Amino acid sequence: MEHDRYSSGARAAVGSSQVGADRSRPGSPGGRPHPPLAKDGRLCSNTPRQGRSRTRSATSRAPSRRTSRRARRRAPPSASTILTQRSGIVCLDHAPLTPSALRAHTPVAEALAAARPEWEPDTAHGYHATTYGHLLSELVRRRTGLTAGRYFARHIAAPLGLDAYIGLPAGSGAHLATMLESKAEALMAGADPGEVVELRDPTTLTYRATIASMSQDPADPAVEDPSYGGLASAHALARLFAALVGEVDGIRLVGPRLTAEMARPHSSGTCEVMLTPLTWGLGVQLADSAVFPADAGLKNSFGLSGANGVFTFADPERELAFGYVPNMGSAVMGSMDGRIRRLVEAVFRSVDRIL
């Protein structure tokens, strides 16, 4: 194991995986300011929302027909309904993503505009696996003139010195690891989905919002795909999340009030897409769920658990941020990878000894 001190954080390279941890410093936002996207009042809501209770079943589900004509002629979704997975726009099976559409950007925006919500917006929640980043990118573009990848590069990654990209620029010098197939990627290639029975049936919302909507072509790291094409080191993820809960070299991305708003439940209950209990804050997962379990020490944390095994979180009370990026993808879906659990528990044990 090698330890490198870097700025206010540390990185450990373990085998073919990376683990990063960063301790933030509380304080007011500093450093180079970024445009005030986070100050839009529509990002905030007043009460937690409960999802409808559902029981997993081996029977297939037909596509939802519950959306009214009025909803079909909807206004664009707000940032809040996207960040909390409540917009209902979860499928692009009518125009699946392709490398050419991603490069041009406009076809993806047009496909989103043509998509109908799978439920009345803001009445339920479901994982926006394919559409999430593209919906947010279009909102960012309309407000700033920049796509999400370019906004991130200019106003977040550059000031914080992050080795992180949404679309790898030419000549970046980034070192890309050779990725070994995860269970999620094997499913995309046609492997038996095992216990995820809904992924066997093209009529289910689970299938339509994931496999039927995603590109089946090899990923091009230079192409901007804000939903599932981000590239980052573990240290960059930890540093990014640290800047959400405190200052990192004089920069804090959002103030304490918005951090608190991010970290409180906005959506909870059974996910309409994955058919399993999930809890969402503003753009982040919260405990308690099988993929982000409180009993691993995450009770007061917020973060994201990726289907390819990537895991990152921040704990505001401990002023702690964590990133884990494996090149051998997770062998499980719908639960916390054992490698991640052991690392997260060890980090909390270590930090709590010195606090």
Side-chain angles (χ1 to χ4, degrees):
M1 180 179 294
E2 298 177 359
H3 295 272
D4 295 316
R5 296 302 301 174
Y6 174 70
S7 184
S8 58
R11 180 178 66 180
V14 186
S16 58
S17 303
Q18 281 190 329
V19 182
D22 218 322
R23 293 297 302 277
S24 63
R25 296 187 297 276
S28 59
R32 179 181 174 181
H34 51 88
L37 288 170
K39 293 183 179 178
D40 188 338
R42 289 176 296 175
L43 289 177
C44 303
S45 58
N46 295 322
T47 57
R49 294 122 172 194
Q50 295 290 326
R52 288 189 290 275
S53 176
R54 287 190 183 271
T55 302
R56 178 179 287 275
S57 170
T59 60
S60 65
R61 297 199 308 161
S64 170
R65 302 297 180 191
R66 292 171 288 171
T67 307
S68 66
R69 291 182 180 178
R70 181 179 179 184
R72 293 186 189 186
R73 296 190 296 271
R74 68 190 186 279
S78 68
S80 178
T81 59
I82 299 169
L83 289 168
T84 56
Q85 314 285 323
R86 302 180 69 84
S87 80
I89 305 172
V90 295
C91 294
L92 290 176
D93 54 333
H94 61 287
L97 295 175
T98 64
S100 60
L102 291 169
R103 289 187 183 95
H105 179 78
T106 301
V108 180
E110 291 173 345
L112 291 170
R116 66 172 179 81
E118 297 297 323
W119 58 84
E120 197 75 29
D122 215 29
T123 64
H125 75 94
Y127 183 38
H128 293 39
T130 307
T131 61
Y132 178 81
H134 297 289
L135 287 167
L136 287 177
S137 184
E138 187 61 15
L139 291 184
V140 172
R141 187 190 65 79
R142 293 184 181 190
R143 180 152 184 173
T144 69
L146 301 172
T147 61
R150 292 178 180 176
Y151 183 92
F152 176 81
R154 182 180 301 180
H155 298 292
I156 298 176
L160 284 169
L162 303 181
D163 184 19
Y165 311 88
I166 305 174
L168 190 66
S172 67
H175 298 284
L176 300 182
T178 299
M179 300 299 293
L180 305 180
E181 192 172 65
S182 67
K183 183 170 183 178
E185 291 159 338
L187 292 177
M188 293 290 292
D192 186 342
E195 72 276 11
V196 190
V197 293
E198 291 77 19
L199 290 176
R200 297 173 179 168
D201 187 347
T203 67
T204 64
L205 184 57
T206 306
Y207 187 99
R208 293 175 53 234
T210 54
I211 293 176
S213 296
M214 295 177 174
S215 173
Q216 303 300 309
D217 297 295
D220 181 349
V223 175
E224 184 175 324
D225 183 348
S227 283
Y228 54 94
L231 302 167
S233 67
H235 183 264
L237 289 179
R239 191 168 169 84
L240 172 64
F241 269 69
L244 294 172
V245 297
E247 284 191 10
V248 175
D249 293 341
I251 297 173
R252 178 166 181 163
L253 293 176
V254 296
R257 289 182 62 184
L258 188 52
T259 297
E261 186 69 9
M262 288 177 60
R264 76 172 182 85
H266 289 261
S267 298
S268 61
T270 300
C271 172
E272 292 282 313
V273 173
M274 304 311 296
L275 303 181
T276 188
L278 289 172
T279 302
W280 290 92
L282 283 178
V284 290
Q285 291 173 330
L286 307 177
D288 188 18
S289 70
V291 296
F292 205 85
D295 63 8
L298 298 166
K299 180 179 179 181
N300 300 311
S301 302
F302 61 82
L304 290 169
S305 173
N308 63 351
V310 172
F311 196 87
T312 186
F313 72 85
D315 186 318
E317 291 186 6
R318 293 177 173 87
E319 299 169 15
L320 172 70
F322 170 97
Y324 173 73
V325 179
N327 78 328
M328 187 175 79
S330 178
V332 299
M333 285 187 66
S335 61
M336 190 180 204
D337 189 302
R339 299 171 297 175
I340 300 170
R341 176 180 279 274
R342 290 189 292 272
L343 285 168
V344 169
E345 291 175 344
V347 167
F348 279 117
R349 285 196 302 270
S350 299
V351 169
D352 288 345
R353 287 194 187 104
I354 62 176
L355 289 180

